[in-house]
Amino acid sequence: MALFALVSSRAESGQTLLPDRKTMEMSRIALSAAIAFAISGCATTPTGSDTPGPQNAQACPAASEPDIASLFDRWNNSLKTGNPREVAANYADKSVLLATLSNKPRVTREEKIDYFEHFLENKPSGKINWRTIKIDCTTAIDIGLYTFTLGKTGQEVKARYTFTYKWDGKQWLISTHHSSMMPEK
């Protein structure tokens, strides 16, 4: 803006339209500062805050495929406790569970506990048959096929699954969990 005003005032007085070195250097510094300010405002926190800025930037936790794979083991081990609250503790606030043996989406902690109270009566134990894992900064996806053996009856249930995880700053939690029985016998 200062450069435009200088050029306009010089044009009206009949002077040359090229700014001097000092004006060019000041304009370059102002432009550099504006770009740096704009870029710093682009960073947002991966946890979903609407407030941009570097003060909200969160470092990516170190996570490998084995780290993410172990989250299924943590979940599966919590099933073995028989305690629905322990299983529900693996899920983030505002997470969604689309369970294998229920038509109802479970979005609250209480709804998840209710589902697992009934599911755990079957004494389930899961085993991964095939998987692929994708990792981003504070999110990870574990997609695959698993088989549940229901200890109460010995029945095996083959299903597809998707676990999405988010890093809450302290630990990985399930943000969505979808499981559906295999359509083909």
Side-chain angles (χ1 to χ4, degrees):
M1 195 64 154
L3 180 60
F4 175 75
L6 175 68
V7 170
S8 295
S9 68
R10 286 186 177 177
E12 290 170 7
S13 67
Q15 294 180 355
T16 180
L17 295 180
L18 296 175
D20 60 18
R21 282 182 187 251
K22 184 176 180 183
T23 303
M24 287 298 289
E25 182 63 20
M26 288 174 49
S27 295
R28 187 183 65 75
I29 292 170
L31 180 60
S32 296
I35 290 170
F37 179 75
I39 290 172
S40 70
C42 290
T44 59
T45 179
T47 58
S49 171
D50 293 333
T51 309
Q55 69 278 6
N56 290 325
Q58 183 179 3
C60 298
S64 65
E65 286 191 23
D67 293 332
I68 301 306
S70 74
L71 298 173
F72 173 81
D73 298 332
R74 179 182 74 184
W75 179 82
N76 196 37
N77 288 333
S78 71
L79 292 177
K80 293 174 186 174
T81 69
N83 183 341
R85 293 183 185 285
E86 225 174 289
V87 181
N90 291 292
Y91 293 81
D93 292 338
K94 300 182 182 178
S95 60
V96 177
L97 167 62
L98 298 175
T100 312
L101 303 176
S102 175
N103 292 334
K104 179 182 177 184
R106 309 297 175 132
V107 294
T108 67
R109 179 171 168 76
E110 292 75 28
E111 290 171 333
K112 291 176 189 78
I113 290 170
D114 175 67
Y115 173 76
F116 287 115
E117 281 175 349
H118 302 289
F119 184 62
L120 292 176
E121 290 173 358
N122 296 309
K123 303 199 180 311
S125 179
K127 177 183 155 223
I128 301 291
N129 304 111
W130 176 88
R131 75 166 15 128
T132 186
I133 294 175
K134 308 290 182 199
I135 304 170
D136 198 7
C137 179
T138 58
T139 59
I141 303 170
D142 181 355
I143 303 167
L145 306 175
Y146 54 18
T147 300
F148 275 94
T149 302
L150 305 180
K152 188 173 183 180
T153 64
Q155 178 187 3
E156 285 192 346
V157 178
K158 294 181 185 289
R160 304 177 278 203
Y161 73 87
T162 302
F163 285 98
T164 61
Y165 298 98
K166 74 174 190 175
W167 178 255
D168 75 350
K170 296 178 185 166
Q171 64 178 334
W172 290 97
L173 292 171
I174 300 167
S175 54
T176 62
H177 175 190
H178 176 253
S179 182
S180 59
M181 285 194 272
M182 296 296 283
E184 300 172 9
K185 299 275 179 186

